[in-house]
Amino acid sequence: MKAIRLFQENVYLSEATAVVEKVDGELVVLNQTIFFPTGGGQSCDLGQINNFSVVDVSEDEEYIWHRVKD
């Protein structure tokens, strides 16, 4: 499942509605995201998903992973 990369459509988005597709401990996969993942020498976006702090965003071939705390 490839997440819709809302950050590519509008870099100024500060909120969006998404569906949680997968949870693995502190890692969350959404069906769409405004969070840019770490890559190409650029650090990831930070923020919140509901009341959970997003402390890291990374990607692999299949998912964009949002690491949350709290």
Side-chain angles (χ1 to χ4, degrees):
M1 181 228 127
K2 292 285 186 179
I4 297 168
R5 296 165 175 259
L6 296 172
F7 57 84
Q8 289 180 332
E9 298 171 19
N10 183 346
V11 298
Y12 298 107
L13 282 176
S14 62
E15 60 181 52
T17 301
V19 175
V20 174
E21 297 285 336
K22 183 178 181 117
V23 176
D24 184 4
E26 294 182 330
L27 299 173
V28 177
V29 173
L30 304 172
N31 69 326
Q32 59 182 11
T33 185
I34 63 173
F35 292 92
F36 181 85
T38 299
Q42 184 172 342
S43 56
C44 67
D45 291 331
L46 304 176
Q48 289 193 331
I49 297 174
N50 288 343
N51 291 322
F52 295 94
S53 296
V54 176
V55 297
D56 187 40
V57 183
S58 60
E59 66 180 322
D60 57 26
E61 288 111 28
E62 196 169 1
Y63 300 115
I64 296 176
W65 297 95
H66 304 78
R67 182 175 302 277
V68 297
K69 280 203 123 172
D70 302 329

